[in-house]
Amino acid sequence: MEVKTSLLDNMIGVGDMVLIEPLSEDTFIENLKKRFDHNEIYTYIGSVVISMNPYKSLPIYTAEKVEEYRNRNFYELSPHIYALADEAYRSLREQDNDQCILITGESGAGKTEASKFVMSYVAAVCGKGQEVSKVKEQLLQSNPVLEAFGNAKTVRNDNSSRFGKYMDIEFDFKGDPLGGVISNYLLEKSRVVKQPRGERNFHIFYQLLSGASDDTLKKLKLDRDFSKYNYLSLDSATVNGLDDAASFRTVRNAMQIVGFMEDEVQSILELVAAVLKLGNIEFKPESRCNGYDESRVKDKNDLKEMCELLGIEQSVLERAFSFRTVEAKMEKVSTTLNVAQAYYARDALAKNLYSRLFSWLVNRINESIKAQTKTRKKVMGVLDIYGFEIFEDNSFEQFIINYCNEKLQQIFIELTLREEQEEYVREDIEWTNIEYFNNAIICDLIENNKNGILAMLDEECLRPGTVTDETFLDKLNTVCAEHQHFESRQSKNSKFLTDHSLPHNCFRIQHYAGKVLYRAEGFVDKNNDLLYRDLSQAMYKANHSLIKILFPEGNPAKVNLKRPPTAGFQFRASVGTLMKNLLTKNPNYIRCIKPNDKKAAHIFTDSLVCHQVRYLGLMENVRVRRAGYAFRQAYDPCLERYKMLCKQTWPHWKGPARDGVEVLMKDLQVPAEEFAYGRSKIFIRNPRTLFFLEEKRSQCLEDLATLIQKIYRGWKCRTHFLLLKKSQVVVAAWYRRFAQQKKYQNIRSSALVLQSFIRGWKARKLLRELKHKKRCEEAVTTISAYWHGTQARRELKCLKEEARRKHAIAVIWAYWLGLKVRREYRKFFRANAGKKIYDFTIQRIMQKYFLGLKKTMPSMSPIDKSWPARPYGFLDRTHQELRRIFHLWRCKKYRSQFTEEKKATYEEKLAASELFKDKKALYPSSVGQPFKGDYVEITKNPKYQKLNSFAEDKVLLADVVSKINRANGKGAPRIFLLTKKSLVLADQKTGQVKASVPLPDLSSVSVSTQNDGFFALKLKEGSASAAKGDFLLSSDRLIEIITKLHCIGATSADRNQISIDISDEFLVQFKQDKVCVKFIQGTPKNGNGVACKRKNNRLLEVSVPSP
């Protein structure tokens, strides 16, 4: 049996605000807070969804949740955005009604994420197939592209939409998506040239610099350093939780999926790079002979690179920044632009270039995602637009945004009332007029064609003569002074003359959400939004394919002298078109609320939420819904939920559901005025009646639960008794069987014991007989063995005696033969035989010595100190001389293998030993390190090509050293180059030469005795290089640097050798001051490194770690 659920089950707070009792602003906020604290971020107001931004991920958007809300009644489950999306999709598919989903709320409330959830749900529940999946993927992937170019980090939201977006998703008769159309409204293009503190420019600029490859940036003539671009704010360049490099890869992939060609992507990136370059163009004043100031470009490098990107002649664009041509009928007047006007022209070009690029992007996406078939389509629109904005400083942008919200509020109230009235008529319930605040008077104040604020602003912009924000405000004060929703300090209405909260240059409008103070400054300029015709024509002359499309008015063949429409006029027309579009569709509302300004989870700021509830008009919405009948429900689910309250309907009602509900309400004695019967629904007037039914249902459920428990416990006890009875019979049978088995086993074990005893007695008797027989046989064998042994020993003794006698005879015979031979040889013995025998013996000893030395010869390495031990004492001097000769010979053989470069290296090592051995603690660690010379690969690195060409001679040493700052003792990285004539210091990043010192100007080098890399290059007084003073540097390769300096001085005949001063305290000349550099042993704060600190004007202290 399927378990039915409802909005009212397990409810935290009240799931539908229409049912809240009592209704007040405090109970409304308290209910939102209670649900927010339990991660219930969605709440209903009838069919309207309130969405609280949780600022964290919640597990409520899974595929399981999608299936849970699929094809379910709107009030059947707990409030969720999926319920609204499913209701809209089913109405579109089954009832053939076009739908629109209006998502509103202030920045940071979660509007963009809400639109993503709606689109992802629709994509998940609609049909499958290769073509359908492609369309769904294109629709979803259009979001990352538009977010990159249209979203930015603000103080309220890290991914704030800075444009309004309306997307029409088109479906076929089966409910499968065919394509879509996107409309954009009012991109905040002023953000391109200026961002408030703590905010960023549009995402694409940071994503391009962070995620593009080095090759791409080189083609676009860009650098990854944000600080090099004036249009990018540095205080918020990086945002926690935003990976710009990864986002750039996502955008590139999304553009590919949507259908952008590779050359189109390259053109778009070139325009983005051009905007960055445009912001770096600066101007300087230049006086002309006629007395007028003219602007000129300071540094033309950025202008040149921008023109190369866009294919524009540099002179054409440079002239457009300096001159303005005004055409009137057949006359042309050219005037010069001062510096302020040039900067205005530059920023206007940047804003127009980016906004037109964004509009082109939207149109290009529409071309890719539009429906290919011409059959009749069903449409679901999703509107994601700015919420009502009330800032400390409100200008033209906030004015037209709030105007749009006034129109949306007007249509919201109208459509809500119309929906209520249609449902009452459909259900045959009497309709009563509902009183509510109609904000049409505020909309008329703003958009009236004759006396509206926008009309007067356009009239002021088109009026000849001097037009300023002050004249516009004066006109408002004259025309709108008596309007009840307009307030100004300078109006004819005397009640505002003493209102000090209303400045003189401001006006205030009482919107439906509250009063908003607008500063009139900038209204005229922002409404004009002028781009000089010279700049448009310069852009059209570009060879870039996309630029010509973006600036069609620059075509000389199609010059239009008519003034372009103002920003206010265009926006009012767009809003009018949007309102007409929305009125043709069935509306669905999502009201987004931001719980706090800290963008943190679990924080609910009552005052902030209350402010949003007011300007979203949520209380007004609840009152409209409650003005008639607060709650309505179809008869079937109503009877299913409450049938246990009446004996006649419980447990099953067999008649029509409406009859069952009527019997139920009659049995419960609910007053007739508290409800009404519609055709398919029952309408309940007061929430108290619904809560009364819920309370009765809870009590009845408890009684039913008790009854179920009673029946269950009786069944359980009976089942237990029958089981015990059955178990007793089984246990008795098993016990009798066990007793008989035990008796049989005892008798059997007794018989086995008797048998074992008898068998044992017979076995032992047999064993005794066998043992006696064995002992008799063993006695005979032992006696025989002893007898044979005695006989064998006697025979052996006789044989040994005979052998001794034979050996004695042989010995005596040998001695006799020897004596006989000696007697015969004595007569032949000579007088010098002793000397010959001695020489022969010595010769044999020497031969044996040399042969042994040959076998034990040490290796050919000159550092091998091993040598064989002498075998005879009289060979001691010979042994040492041979060792010396062998060492000299193998050294000569080793040297013969050296190249000239290796000889020079060893000579430098030898010189280093003479200079630093036992003098500098750093020397031992440098012995095993080869002297490479070039450590930065200056000849291979393209970044240092200019630096390589600057050095006239061969570079003997190139390394990165730290140049010690004279003011604070901190180090800055420098490239150190050494040639035979000079030494050069250059910037590590750019390769720019900072200092070049000829070697003849170098008098001495000072180093400490400690284990540090500090050294001072002292310059000769009066030399050209000594103007800025001596250099104090630090390097890990100090030994190699100073050794090469010393060797260059030793080999040069035209200059004196550079002296090396090794001391823990020495003087360094810094411009006009002499500073003492003192080295002490200690433990620096930053760990194991060497720390340098300026103690006073005369002392620089270097702390070296203790050895």
Side-chain angles (χ1 to χ4, degrees):
M1 175 179 167
E2 183 182 359
V3 178
K4 298 290 184 179
T5 57
S6 170
L7 172 72
L8 300 170
D9 288 331
N10 303 319
M11 189 166 55
I12 297 173
V14 179
D16 191 342
M17 289 294 187
V18 175
L19 304 179
I20 196 167
E21 189 68 27
L23 175 62
S24 66
E25 194 172 78
D26 292 338
T27 57
F28 191 98
I29 302 299
E30 183 61 31
N31 188 53
L32 286 179
K33 185 175 188 301
K34 185 176 181 180
R35 292 180 60 79
F36 178 78
D37 291 340
H38 290 80
N39 290 330
E40 294 288 340
I41 63 171
Y42 295 114
T43 309
Y44 292 154
I45 301 179
S47 60
V48 177
V49 176
I50 302 174
S51 172
M52 301 285 290
N53 191 344
Y55 288 114
K56 65 177 181 179
S57 297
L58 295 176
I60 58 174
Y61 306 105
T62 59
E64 292 77 11
K65 278 289 182 183
V66 171
E67 290 301 320
E68 182 180 346
Y69 280 86
R70 187 173 185 174
N71 294 327
R72 303 293 286 267
N73 185 274
F74 187 76
Y75 296 103
E76 192 171 342
L77 298 173
S78 59
H80 201 290
I81 195 172
Y82 284 170
L84 181 137
D86 185 75
E87 183 78 11
Y89 178 70
R90 285 193 294 113
S91 297
L92 176 138
R93 185 187 62 191
E94 297 170 4
Q95 302 176 14
D96 202 19
N97 292 332
D98 288 349
Q99 303 289 315
C100 65
I101 298 176
L102 282 67
I103 307 172
T104 57
E106 72 171 44
S107 179
K111 300 187 298 299
T112 302
E113 291 301 314
S115 67
K116 290 180 184 177
F117 290 141
V118 170
M119 293 179 65
S120 64
Y121 179 84
V122 173
V125 300
C126 63
K128 309 296 182 202
Q130 184 177 358
E131 191 63 31
V132 173
S133 299
K134 179 183 176 183
V135 172
K136 290 193 291 187
E137 188 67 15
Q138 286 186 334
L139 290 173
L140 293 175
Q141 290 300 324
S142 64
N143 278 326
V145 179
L146 294 178
E147 284 184 15
F149 286 86
N151 288 23
K153 189 264 181 189
T154 66
V155 292
R156 296 185 175 185
N157 186 3
D158 291 342
N159 188 30
S160 176
S161 298
R162 307 316 299 160
F163 70 104
K165 181 179 74 173
Y166 177 74
M167 173 184 280
D168 269 334
I169 308 173
E170 299 172 337
F171 298 85
D172 63 8
F173 69 96
K174 301 189 300 295
D176 294 339
L178 297 173
V181 179
I182 299 174
S183 303
N184 67 298
Y185 301 95
L186 192 68
L187 177 72
E188 188 188 13
K189 56 186 178 182
S190 60
R191 180 171 292 272
V192 175
V193 299
K194 185 179 180 182
Q195 306 90 41
R197 185 172 183 83
E199 298 189 4
R200 296 204 315 177
N201 210 321
F202 292 101
H203 290 328
I204 187 60
F205 295 111
Y206 305 92
Q207 292 173 359
L208 175 61
L209 297 180
S210 300
S213 63
D214 294 336
D215 185 49
T216 302
L217 290 180
K218 185 177 180 180
K219 290 180 181 178
L220 298 177
K221 308 180 187 302
L222 296 176
D223 194 282
R224 292 196 191 279
D225 189 0
F226 298 152
S227 62
K228 293 186 177 180
Y229 304 102
N230 296 334
Y231 279 165
L232 301 184
S233 60
L234 298 180
D235 54 343
S236 299
T238 57
V239 181
N240 293 333
L242 284 183
D243 187 348
D244 290 321
S247 298
F248 182 74
R249 292 190 291 271
T250 303
V251 171
R252 288 296 300 265
N253 182 56
M255 294 177 84
Q256 183 179 1
I257 293 173
V258 171
F260 283 85
M261 306 299 291
E262 192 60 36
D263 58 336
E264 290 178 326
V265 175
Q266 184 63 26
S267 298
I268 293 168
L269 296 182
E270 287 173 354
L271 262 62
V272 174
V275 172
L276 290 175
K277 291 291 182 183
L278 190 59
N280 289 352
I281 298 175
E282 296 183 348
F283 303 94
K284 60 182 178 180
E286 186 175 294
S287 299
R288 302 184 67 185
C289 56
N290 57 6
Y292 290 99
D293 284 341
E294 181 181 336
S295 65
R296 286 283 182 246
V297 177
K298 278 186 182 179
D299 185 1
K300 298 183 180 181
N301 184 49
D302 287 304
L303 178 64
K304 177 184 176 184
E305 291 181 347
M306 176 191 167
C307 291
E308 290 174 356
L309 283 172
L310 302 182
I312 305 175
E313 291 185 16
Q314 183 175 340
S315 58
V316 173
L317 189 57
E318 187 175 359
R319 174 175 175 78
F321 282 134
S322 301
F323 295 90
R324 180 188 178 188
T325 303
V326 180
E327 298 184 20
K329 294 184 180 180
M330 303 301 294
E331 296 181 0
K332 288 186 179 181
V333 179
S334 180
T335 60
T336 60
L337 300 178
N338 57 30
V339 173
Q341 292 170 331
Y343 277 116
Y344 174 83
R346 180 201 69 177
D347 291 344
L349 177 59
K351 291 187 290 185
N352 274 272
L353 181 59
Y354 190 82
S355 65
R356 295 183 188 201
L357 171 62
F358 185 77
S359 299
W360 181 87
L361 267 175
V362 174
N363 293 333
R364 179 65 182 81
I365 292 173
N366 285 337
E367 289 179 11
S368 296
I369 66 175
K370 68 180 179 181
Q372 302 300 321
T373 61
K374 296 183 179 180
T375 58
R376 183 178 177 275
K377 311 174 191 69
K378 304 174 184 179
V379 177
M380 177 185 289
V382 179
L383 178 64
D384 174 9
I385 201 163
Y386 336 84
F388 201 85
E389 292 189 351
I390 304 177
F391 298 147
E392 292 184 4
D393 188 7
N394 301 288
S395 187
F396 179 73
E397 292 85 359
Q398 283 69 46
F399 175 74
I400 57 178
I401 286 171
N402 293 343
Y403 160 62
C404 179
N405 277 271
E406 286 284 358
K407 295 293 290 183
L408 287 173
Q409 177 68 9
Q410 184 182 21
I411 196 173
F412 171 67
I413 295 296
E414 289 178 2
L415 291 177
T416 301
L417 288 175
R418 186 177 71 185
E419 183 183 359
E420 285 284 293
Q421 187 174 4
E422 287 176 353
E423 184 172 17
Y424 278 48
V425 172
R426 186 168 58 248
E427 294 294 329
D428 200 17
I429 302 293
E430 184 180 354
W431 170 258
T432 56
N433 289 327
I434 299 173
E435 294 184 3
Y436 66 96
F437 170 69
N438 189 349
N439 66 337
I441 187 172
I442 303 175
C443 296
D444 184 70
L445 170 65
I446 298 173
E447 67 181 4
N448 188 284
N449 291 329
K450 184 177 180 181
N451 295 325
I453 294 176
L454 286 176
M456 286 187 284
L457 181 59
D458 287 348
E459 183 181 335
E460 194 68 13
C461 291
L462 298 174
R463 180 175 62 82
T466 303
V467 178
T468 63
D469 296 316
E470 288 74 15
T471 59
F472 165 63
L473 185 58
D474 290 340
K475 192 163 191 173
L476 288 183
N477 293 332
T478 303
V479 177
C480 304
E482 302 299 327
H483 199 285
Q484 58 182 333
H485 292 276
F486 178 84
E487 301 175 4
S488 174
R489 187 89 174 265
Q490 299 176 359
S491 66
K492 298 177 181 179
N493 198 330
S494 60
K495 67 178 180 179
F496 302 121
L497 295 177
T498 58
D499 188 355
H500 297 288
S501 65
L502 187 61
H504 289 281
N505 62 339
C506 299
F507 63 93
R508 189 158 53 203
I509 295 179
Q510 186 174 350
H511 290 279
Y512 76 92
K515 294 183 179 181
V516 182
L517 182 69
Y518 297 103
R519 188 177 300 277
E521 181 182 352
F523 263 63
V524 174
D525 282 341
K526 292 176 181 178
N527 189 50
N528 271 325
D529 194 22
L530 289 178
L531 179 67
Y532 297 151
R533 183 175 290 109
D534 301 75
L535 288 173
S536 299
Q537 293 175 351
M539 290 292 105
Y540 188 81
K541 292 178 182 178
N543 294 327
H544 199 280
S545 58
L546 191 53
I547 289 291
K548 286 183 179 294
I549 300 174
L550 299 183
F551 293 89
E553 75 274 14
N555 188 352
K558 299 179 180 179
V559 175
N560 186 6
L561 299 181
K562 185 178 178 181
R563 191 182 183 95
T566 61
F569 178 83
Q570 295 179 51
F571 187 72
R572 183 174 60 176
S574 299
V575 170
T577 304
L578 176 63
M579 295 303 119
K580 290 179 181 178
N581 193 358
L582 295 179
L583 286 171
T584 62
K585 295 177 174 62
N586 183 47
N588 302 271
Y589 300 96
I590 301 174
R591 302 298 205 182
C592 298
I593 293 179
K594 180 170 63 174
N596 59 77
D597 275 329
K598 299 179 180 179
K599 295 181 278 190
H602 309 297
I603 299 178
F604 188 95
T605 307
D606 292 16
S607 58
L608 178 64
V609 174
C610 180
H611 173 70
Q612 295 173 81
V613 167
R614 288 174 182 171
Y615 75 64
L616 286 172
L618 299 184
M619 292 293 296
E620 191 79 14
N621 188 10
V622 176
R623 292 190 182 98
V624 168
R625 289 295 302 236
R626 287 172 60 122
Y629 293 92
F631 183 78
R632 64 221 57 187
Q633 191 173 28
Y635 290 121
D636 285 329
C638 181
L639 181 62
E640 183 69 24
R641 186 169 183 82
Y642 302 112
K643 63 183 180 179
M644 72 284 296
L645 303 182
C646 177
K647 293 181 180 180
Q648 300 177 46
T649 57
W650 178 256
H652 300 292
W653 174 259
K654 297 182 180 180
R658 173 169 177 167
D659 295 344
V661 172
E662 290 179 356
V663 169
L664 177 67
M665 300 301 283
K666 184 176 180 181
D667 186 71
L668 292 174
Q669 298 181 357
V670 178
E673 64 273 9
E674 286 296 321
F675 64 92
Y677 296 112
R679 293 181 177 177
S680 63
K681 297 178 182 179
I682 180 172
F683 288 73
I684 297 176
R685 186 180 301 278
N686 200 305
R688 285 193 299 271
T689 304
L690 179 65
F691 293 142
F692 164 73
L693 294 175
E694 284 295 313
E695 184 178 356
K696 295 282 287 183
R697 180 175 181 270
S698 299
Q699 294 174 358
C700 190
L701 286 176
E702 291 180 3
D703 297 338
L704 289 173
T706 304
L707 178 61
I708 293 171
Q709 288 176 352
K710 180 184 74 172
I711 295 172
Y712 171 74
R713 286 170 182 158
W715 169 84
K716 187 175 181 182
C717 289
R718 284 192 300 275
T719 305
H720 184 62
F721 167 74
L722 294 174
L723 183 61
L724 287 177
K725 183 179 179 181
K726 183 179 179 181
S727 301
Q728 187 272 334
V729 174
V730 173
V731 169
W734 278 88
Y735 175 74
R736 286 193 293 270
R737 175 189 174 192
F738 170 76
Q740 291 298 322
Q741 286 178 341
K742 192 71 174 175
K743 183 178 180 181
Y744 164 74
Q745 288 173 358
N746 289 337
I747 295 172
R748 186 173 181 271
S749 62
S750 300
L752 291 174
V753 171
L754 288 173
Q755 290 175 359
S756 65
F757 270 99
I758 293 171
R759 290 190 187 103
W761 174 77
K762 288 182 177 181
R764 284 191 295 275
K765 182 179 179 182
L766 180 61
L767 180 62
R768 283 195 299 270
E769 293 174 355
L770 292 173
K771 282 184 177 180
H772 177 69
K773 185 178 178 180
K774 184 178 180 181
R775 277 197 298 269
C776 292
E777 291 175 355
E778 286 178 351
V780 172
T781 304
T782 302
I783 294 168
S784 176
Y786 270 97
W787 167 249
H788 287 115
T790 303
Q791 289 294 99
R793 283 190 292 275
R794 286 176 183 175
E795 186 68 27
L796 179 62
K797 185 176 182 182
C798 292
L799 291 174
K800 285 184 178 180
E801 186 65 30
E802 185 179 356
R804 276 197 297 272
R805 284 197 298 269
K806 288 181 181 180
H807 180 69
I809 292 170
V811 171
I812 294 169
W813 176 251
Y815 271 95
W816 162 249
L817 288 179
L819 179 61
K820 187 179 179 180
V821 170
R822 283 193 294 276
R823 285 177 180 176
E824 289 292 326
Y825 183 72
R826 190 175 293 154
K827 58 184 176 182
F828 302 108
F829 195 86
R830 297 181 181 179
N832 61 348
K835 183 176 183 302
K836 288 184 177 182
I837 292 171
Y838 174 77
D839 291 340
F840 175 77
T841 304
I842 294 299
Q843 184 180 0
R844 291 293 296 167
I845 290 173
M846 293 296 291
Q847 184 181 9
K848 184 178 179 182
Y849 166 68
F850 282 116
L851 289 175
L853 191 62
K854 177 184 177 183
K855 294 179 182 179
T856 59
M857 192 69 71
S859 67
M860 292 295 291
S861 175
I863 61 174
D864 188 359
K865 296 183 180 181
S866 63
W867 185 251
R870 58 178 175 78
Y872 306 102
F874 72 93
L875 292 175
D876 186 44
R877 290 184 61 188
T878 303
H879 195 67
Q880 295 298 329
E881 185 65 19
L882 285 174
R883 181 178 184 179
R884 186 184 67 81
I885 293 171
F886 176 76
H887 180 67
L888 293 176
W889 174 75
R890 69 181 175 183
C891 288
K892 180 180 179 182
K893 294 289 287 183
Y894 185 78
R895 289 196 301 273
S896 65
Q897 301 173 3
F898 286 178
T899 60
E900 292 298 326
E901 183 179 352
K902 200 169 184 180
K903 284 182 181 179
T905 302
Y906 277 97
E907 287 174 358
E908 289 178 352
K909 283 287 185 180
L910 184 60
S913 175
E914 294 173 355
L915 289 173
F916 298 107
K917 187 175 181 181
D918 300 329
K919 300 177 183 178
K920 177 72 175 173
L922 186 65
Y923 172 71
S925 63
S926 71
V927 173
Q929 300 174 356
F931 289 174
K932 288 173 59 178
D934 188 0
Y935 292 94
V936 297
E937 297 182 345
I938 191 168
T939 57
K940 299 179 181 179
N941 196 330
K943 187 166 69 173
Y944 302 133
Q945 286 182 355
K946 293 182 180 179
L947 188 60
N948 191 24
S949 61
F950 181 82
E952 298 177 357
D953 295 338
K954 178 183 177 183
V955 176
L956 301 178
L957 187 141
D959 192 13
V960 178
V961 302
S962 291
K963 180 179 178 298
I964 306 305
N965 192 302
R966 304 165 181 175
N968 53 20
K970 294 183 178 179
R974 294 286 186 268
I975 299 294
F976 182 90
L977 299 182
L978 178 63
T979 65
K980 290 185 178 181
K981 294 183 179 180
S982 63
L983 61 87
V984 178
L985 290 175
D987 188 82
Q988 184 185 5
K989 293 183 178 179
T990 62
Q992 182 181 358
V993 176
K994 295 294 186 179
S996 178
V997 180
L999 289 183
D1001 291 352
L1002 188 63
S1003 63
S1004 63
V1005 181
S1006 296
V1007 299
S1008 73
T1009 63
Q1010 305 292 331
N1011 189 17
D1012 63 276
F1014 282 74
F1015 63 98
L1017 300 178
K1018 298 185 178 180
L1019 306 178
K1020 293 180 181 178
E1021 294 184 2
S1023 63
S1025 304
K1028 292 186 178 181
D1030 301 336
F1031 294 96
L1032 182 59
L1033 309 174
S1034 174
S1035 172
D1036 295 337
R1037 301 182 180 88
L1038 175 142
I1039 302 297
E1040 182 178 356
I1041 292 173
I1042 296 181
T1043 300
K1044 286 186 181 291
L1045 277 171
H1046 178 77
C1047 291
I1048 292 171
T1051 56
S1052 300
D1054 57 343
R1055 56 179 175 268
N1056 296 330
Q1057 188 172 350
I1058 299 172
S1059 63
I1060 310 300
D1061 178 22
I1062 302 177
S1063 173
D1064 284 343
E1065 189 172 331
F1066 51 81
L1067 294 176
V1068 179
Q1069 182 75 33
F1070 286 163
K1071 290 188 178 179
Q1072 304 300 325
D1073 301 329
K1074 284 192 176 183
V1075 177
C1076 177
V1077 181
K1078 185 176 181 181
F1079 293 81
I1080 62 171
Q1081 289 188 351
T1083 304
K1085 295 180 180 179
N1086 59 349
N1088 298 325
V1090 179
C1092 181
K1093 187 175 182 181
R1094 185 74 178 258
K1095 287 294 185 179
N1096 52 50
N1097 292 337
R1098 299 292 183 181
L1099 178 61
L1100 194 65
E1101 189 175 271
V1102 181
S1103 178
V1104 183
S1106 301

